[in-house]
Amino acid sequence: MASLAASVGVLLTGTTLYVRLGPLAAVVAVLLAPIVLCGFVVVHDVLRRRALTTEEQHRLALERDHVRRTVDLVADPALTEEERLAVLDSFIPRLAQAAAPHRDRFVVVSELPAPARALLARARRAVNVVYRSQVMHRRLLDGLANEVLLPRQVWEIAKLLRMQAQLQEEQDRARQGVVTPELLAVLEPQQKALDRSVAAVTARVEGLERYARRVQEADAALRAREALDNNDKYRELLAQTDDAEGMRALAAHGDALEETLAKSVREAIEAGQTLAL
């Protein structure tokens, strides 16, 4: 439609130039018309493609946000941003491929059995406790433990839970039907190995929970430290009531607490460092 309008415009312009300025001007206009028309078409096409690209980007952003909100994933923290987006795109029906990219580098939580989901939830809660803590916000904890080790711990736990679920399904299928002594001789050691792995993962989750508890204690120590800073107000109150003994007791208690508070923060840091072991 735009091209037709441009052609009509060129024809009218040429006719006008012929009438007013003579045949030479009309010939020049006719010769330049294709160039002008091509330029118009190119510009129009570029603008149309740009509008479509912007619209597609907006649509894709909305679809990716929907995936983030509706699909619970634990991804390998080593994934690049481009790889993370490719993972999200694999859950968008119009973009989904036959095989999801990087399938071995993310875990869909809903695909895990209930006990595994519960264990993973405990690990994630512990990590969230650390992330929400005041001692982390004030950069008092080991940055390596919080920014590198904690995401890696959750990823490794999720990956192990998925592997354990798959192996347990194999065990259950193998036990269907008649179970002979020969079959048991194969399956029982495998089941014991699987049980040991589950126990080890449970111990890792408990380690995260202990760390989270230390962090909570360190947060409590910070609050106690802030409250301790208010001792001057209470000493002033006792001074005005002429309670010298109370003032001495308050000062002594404050001195004793200083080391206790510092120890709580140190223990939280040490607990985080043991996660790397």
Side-chain angles (χ1 to χ4, degrees):
M1 193 69 182
S3 299
L4 178 61
S7 299
V8 172
V10 170
L11 181 60
L12 291 175
T13 302
T15 302
T16 303
L17 289 174
Y18 179 81
V19 172
R20 293 189 176 184
L21 301 179
L24 181 60
V27 170
V28 171
V30 170
L31 292 176
L32 291 177
I35 299 175
V36 174
L37 182 60
C38 289
F40 176 82
V41 171
V42 169
V43 170
H44 178 267
D45 188 60
V46 168
L47 293 176
R48 183 178 62 84
R49 290 178 180 273
R50 184 175 298 173
L52 290 174
T53 299
T54 302
E55 181 181 348
E56 170 61 21
Q57 289 175 343
H58 179 66
R59 179 187 180 188
L60 185 57
L62 292 176
E63 290 171 328
R64 285 170 172 169
D65 183 61
H66 177 73
V67 172
R68 290 188 184 96
R69 289 185 286 104
T70 58
V71 182
D72 192 3
L73 298 174
V74 177
D76 182 352
L79 284 171
T80 65
E81 183 60 25
E82 183 179 352
E83 291 170 339
R84 289 179 182 276
L85 293 178
V87 169
L88 294 178
D89 292 347
S90 68
F91 291 90
I92 299 174
R94 68 186 181 89
L95 302 178
Q97 304 173 0
H102 317 294
R103 187 61 184 89
D104 59 333
R105 299 183 67 188
F106 68 89
V107 173
V108 181
V109 176
S110 62
E111 295 177 353
L112 296 174
R117 292 199 303 270
L119 202 56
L120 180 59
R122 287 171 55 187
R124 296 168 101 180
R125 276 197 302 271
V127 169
N128 285 334
V129 165
V130 177
Y131 285 159
R132 293 195 301 264
S133 68
Q134 285 299 310
V135 284
M136 178 175 176
H137 291 164
R138 299 187 189 187
R139 314 296 295 179
L140 297 177
L141 298 177
D142 185 352
L144 177 66
N146 293 325
E147 297 166 12
V148 178
L149 294 181
L150 290 182
R152 194 171 73 194
Q153 285 275 338
V154 173
W155 160 241
E156 290 177 354
I157 288 169
K159 184 171 59 173
L160 286 168
L161 290 172
R162 179 177 61 187
M163 187 181 303
Q164 291 167 355
Q166 292 168 347
L167 292 175
Q168 188 61 62
E169 286 181 2
E170 291 181 3
Q171 286 282 311
D172 295 341
R173 285 196 302 270
R175 293 174 186 273
Q176 292 176 358
V178 177
V179 179
T180 63
E182 293 80 9
L183 180 58
L184 282 177
V186 174
L187 295 180
E188 286 182 350
Q190 292 177 346
Q191 186 65 57
K192 288 180 180 179
L194 183 55
D195 293 342
R196 287 175 61 88
S197 176
V198 171
V201 171
T202 302
R204 291 179 72 167
V205 173
E206 290 170 349
L208 286 174
E209 290 174 329
R210 284 193 296 272
Y211 177 45
R213 178 63 182 174
R214 290 293 190 187
V215 169
Q216 288 177 317
E217 291 171 355
D219 261 6
L222 279 182
R223 295 195 300 273
R225 185 68 186 82
E226 291 169 355
L228 189 61
D229 290 339
N230 290 328
N231 268 4
D232 289 342
K233 299 176 184 177
Y234 293 93
R235 279 195 289 268
E236 182 180 353
L237 175 65
L238 292 173
Q240 291 182 11
T241 56
D242 197 22
D243 188 349
E245 183 179 350
M247 290 177 60
R248 286 194 297 272
L250 191 62
H253 184 61
D255 293 341
L257 271 179
E258 288 285 356
E259 176 56 28
T260 302
L261 303 181
K263 181 181 177 183
S264 294
V265 177
R266 284 199 308 271
E267 287 177 347
I269 294 172
E270 291 167 0
Q273 291 171 341
T274 60
L275 295 176
L277 301 179

